[in-house]
Amino acid sequence: MQEKKKREVIIACDFQDASGVYGFLALFGNERPFLKIGMELFYAAGPDLVRDLKSRGYRIFLDLKLHDIPNTVKKAMAVLSGYGTDICNVHAAGGIDMMKAAREGLSRPDGRDPLLIAVTQLTSIDQRRLKDELLIDRPVSDVVSEYAFNAKSAGLDGVVCSPLEVSAVRERCGGSFVTVTPGIRFSGGPEGDQQRVTTPRAAKELGSDYIVVGRPITSSDDPLGAYRRCVEEFEN
Ligand code: C5P
């Protein structure tokens, strides 16, 4: 099992291709920030990019949000476990059996399983969308904490949620359950498509273990400065 390191900034590398991410990482010199690779970059650059970044010493959260029948997810996770990534994830909406299957698929012979976490509700879903579009008539925080409890029951290590839901998750799942929180914006910055947002400092105060920050860093005129600001507000 990977070490459950507490309080760290993860950069969402939502670039179109490998050259975008290598150009971005060149700004960091020898520094090795924790990276998140999501669907856009993975579908463009594939396993080769993940393996190359791992060989250069980066830690990687491979954010592919698997959601399918248990057998398919188990087999897909067995493939992902070979990449040596540090965090993988599924949608909790796939159910407990699917999450258990993911856990089984991800287990590595050397025992160094990546952390496995579940997306509870996307941080782009607000109360109105939950009710009117997903037809779920419960407060967002209840849905998040109950999906988190399902994830814990299935043997997962934690969840992706908004920092605003961390305390509800902790109350339901206990303090050692990991919370990885996107939806981070600097005060005064644009929110974009995110709905349930906080600043890095507020995320720290609310008890997030990791924050995932994309556009506030990658679209900044000064990405390195924006990353340092996140670290300063969240980690120190
Ligand atoms: O650019 P921004 O900071 O909004 O990026 C947030 C990242 O976190 C994106 O890569 C997005 O896919 C991811 N994410 C999210 N909400 C979730 C799970 C993942 O925004 N619930």
Side-chain angles (χ1 to χ4, degrees):
M1 182 81 68
Q2 302 281 326
E3 188 193 349
K4 296 181 186 177
K5 186 168 185 300
K6 293 291 177 165
R7 269 234 313 281
E8 197 164 353
V9 175
I10 301 177
I11 304 176
C13 293
D14 294 322
F15 296 99
Q16 284 177 342
D17 54 26
S19 64
V21 74
Y22 287 124
F24 172 74
L25 292 174
L27 300 171
F28 289 78
N30 290 329
E31 206 172 334
R32 293 285 181 267
F34 204 137
L35 307 178
K36 182 175 86 67
I37 294 183
M39 294 181 211
E40 181 186 12
L41 186 56
F42 187 76
Y43 294 156
D48 288 349
L49 173 70
V50 176
R51 290 204 183 95
D52 182 62
L53 290 171
K54 280 304 299 176
S55 74
R56 293 169 190 238
Y58 292 94
R59 283 159 304 145
I60 307 248
F61 168 14
L62 191 55
D63 178 23
L64 299 181
K65 303 187 180 74
L66 276 65
H67 187 177
D68 207 317
I69 58 171
N71 184 54
T72 303
V73 168
K74 180 176 172 178
K75 288 182 172 167
M77 280 296 181
V79 176
L80 300 188
S81 78
Y83 300 166
T85 53
D86 301 271
I87 306 180
C88 290
N89 65 354
V90 293
H91 266 288
I96 293 175
D97 283 351
M98 188 207 74
M99 290 191 275
K100 282 184 180 163
R103 174 96 273 173
E104 281 174 37
L106 205 54
S107 64
R108 291 165 53 107
D110 62 6
R112 291 182 55 78
D113 299 358
L115 288 188
L116 179 59
I117 61 178
V119 177
T120 50
Q121 282 296 321
L122 296 170
T123 38
S124 54
I125 297 291
D126 60 9
Q127 191 66 56
R128 185 196 63 75
R129 290 182 175 91
L130 194 68
K131 184 167 183 293
D132 296 349
E133 298 175 20
L134 306 187
L135 311 184
I136 297 174
D137 209 1
R138 297 268 298 268
V140 177
S141 66
D142 283 10
V143 177
V144 168
S145 54
E146 291 309 313
Y147 281 23
F149 191 71
N150 287 349
K152 186 173 182 197
S153 307
L156 271 58
D157 302 296
V159 286
V160 184
C161 62
S162 157
L164 301 168
E165 288 129 13
V166 167
S167 67
V169 168
R170 290 241 187 286
E171 211 168 288
R172 191 78 175 93
C173 301
S176 62
F177 201 58
V178 174
T179 53
V180 177
T181 63
I184 304 296
R185 294 293 178 262
F186 292 124
S187 54
E191 290 182 2
D193 53 356
Q194 298 281 18
Q195 300 295 329
R196 306 186 329 268
V197 299
T198 63
T199 63
R201 192 180 309 283
K204 174 183 175 179
E205 282 156 12
L206 290 163
S208 303
D209 295 311
Y210 297 89
I211 53 171
V212 173
V213 190
R215 288 161 291 183
I217 295 174
T218 54
S219 303
S220 163
D221 294 339
D222 175 15
L224 192 55
Y227 172 70
R228 299 241 184 281
R229 183 174 169 193
C230 286
V231 170
E232 177 59 33
E233 281 191 33
F234 182 67
E235 293 183 22
N236 300 333

